[in-house]
Amino acid sequence: MVSLTKSICWKVVAKTVDSSGIGLVIYQKPTSESCYKKRSTQEPPLCVKEEANASWYAPLRQCISKLPSRDVQKWPELWPKRLVSVRPQSVLVDSKTFKKDTEKWSEIVSDVYLERLAVNWSSVRNVMDMNAGFGGFAAALINRPLWVMNVVPVDKPNTLSVVFDRGLIGVYHDWCESLNTYPRTYDLLHSSFYLGDITQRCGIVQVVAEIDRVLRPGGYLVVQDTMETIKNLESILGSLHWSTKIYQDRFLVGRKGFWRPLKPEL
């Protein structure tokens, strides 16, 4: 382990051993490539060609990813200022677009989601945003006693770096595949103008079945979409014995019950 960490220029910043003989070491990754170039043996080598954010079905490689140069690398602000003053690095988005998105979600969440929709927010702790974008929905809920998992779909622009820069958590996911939710279910799933688009890639019934699996009994699905998509969802959720309500011909709130289909007789 010592030779390996030295070869990739990791620095030991803390080391200790407890009474049982178990050791703990904290390493720090370098912030520039100067150490890489000074190595007597270039092993493992620096990656020659790579896609900066390739992580979906990307095979592991025996090379070190290059670090951003100093003229583009800027550390985010300290919390909580970073939540609204992010410096996007991997996504081409200007400050006006980012500010407009933040203000939009702040207004929608405070005026609609928290005040007018049939959601008991006091029972909501675990939230998932199925199409997180810049993480504006999660940022607007920051003062609530809950946490949000921001999901960036693989068929949408790669905005995960912005989510991270804001101090939020997130993952990539293909909603045409099952989601690894172990070890928990969620209290509320949120989708904004996404479930209508996904029908171009896979069946909406299969996606709703996955939503039903991820959500706990008594949990909520909140959807902002076109009326065509909302009506389609209302029909599918009804077949699963969910209760549904539509607001302003734009928002759908579905609540999962305890109904399960009967097991077929053998």
Side-chain angles (χ1 to χ4, degrees):
M1 189 67 182
V2 174
S3 59
L4 173 61
T5 54
K6 184 178 180 180
S7 69
I8 58 177
C9 295
W10 284 14
K11 181 175 65 175
V12 176
V13 295
K15 181 166 58 174
T16 184
V17 179
D18 64 17
S19 58
S20 64
I22 298 177
L24 170 67
V25 182
I26 299 177
Y27 296 95
Q28 183 180 39
K29 180 179 176 178
T31 57
S32 72
E33 295 181 4
S34 59
C35 175
Y36 297 151
K37 298 175 182 178
K38 294 177 182 178
R39 295 178 300 168
S40 57
T41 303
Q42 297 296 310
E43 185 64 34
L46 290 176
C47 298
V48 177
K49 185 179 181 182
E50 62 179 325
E51 185 180 340
N53 296 303
S55 61
W56 196 256
Y57 297 130
L60 296 176
R61 295 178 297 169
Q62 292 185 348
C63 62
I64 303 174
S65 297
K66 294 183 178 180
L67 298 174
S69 58
R70 289 188 176 276
D71 58 338
V72 298
Q73 177 67 24
K74 295 181 180 179
W75 291 103
E77 300 282 356
L78 295 177
W79 183 267
K81 190 176 180 181
R82 65 187 296 178
L83 194 64
V84 294
S85 60
V86 70
R87 300 186 180 102
Q89 298 172 19
S90 302
V91 180
L92 297 177
V93 53
D94 56 69
S95 58
K96 289 184 178 179
T97 301
F98 177 79
K99 183 179 179 181
K100 185 177 180 180
D101 181 81
T102 301
E103 293 174 346
K104 177 195 73 174
W105 279 112
S106 178
E107 181 179 351
I108 292 177
V109 168
S110 61
D111 294 348
V112 180
Y113 284 47
L114 296 179
E115 297 295 332
R116 304 185 186 185
L117 299 186
V119 175
N120 179 13
W121 287 95
S122 64
S123 66
V124 175
R125 293 293 180 270
N126 311 318
V127 179
M128 179 179 289
D129 191 357
M130 298 177 64
N131 182 26
F134 300 136
F137 173 70
L141 290 170
I142 200 63
N143 292 322
R144 303 289 303 184
L146 53 80
W147 67 278
V148 181
M149 173 61 75
N150 295 279
V151 179
V152 176
V154 296
D155 56 330
K156 292 295 181 180
N158 177 8
T159 54
L160 195 57
S161 60
V162 178
V163 171
F164 290 153
D165 279 351
R166 298 185 83 164
L168 304 171
I169 58 175
V171 294
Y172 288 117
H173 181 59
D174 186 345
W175 282 110
C176 289
E177 300 182 7
S178 60
L179 176 71
N180 183 1
T181 58
Y182 181 84
R184 68 172 68 245
T185 54
Y186 284 81
D187 301 322
L188 185 146
L189 264 65
H190 171 253
S191 171
S192 178
F193 295 103
Y194 180 67
L195 294 179
D197 295 339
I198 203 172
T199 55
Q200 301 176 15
R201 301 178 55 241
C202 54
I204 189 64
V205 174
Q206 287 82 356
V207 178
V208 173
E210 178 67 359
I211 291 173
D212 181 81
R213 184 189 68 81
V214 170
L215 205 61
R216 68 165 175 83
Y220 300 92
L221 170 66
V222 178
V223 177
Q224 180 183 195
D225 219 306
T226 64
M227 273 305 298
E228 180 182 1
T229 298
I230 286 176
K231 286 293 186 182
N232 191 15
L233 287 171
E234 184 182 34
S235 175
I236 299 172
L237 293 175
S239 69
L240 295 174
H241 295 241
W242 284 37
S243 61
T244 57
K245 289 187 179 181
I246 298 175
Y247 177 73
Q248 288 186 344
D249 290 339
R250 179 179 170 187
F251 300 94
L252 169 72
V253 176
R255 190 172 191 188
K256 178 181 175 180
F258 288 84
W259 176 85
R260 292 287 89 179
L262 296 175
K263 294 182 178 180
E265 295 182 2
L266 298 178

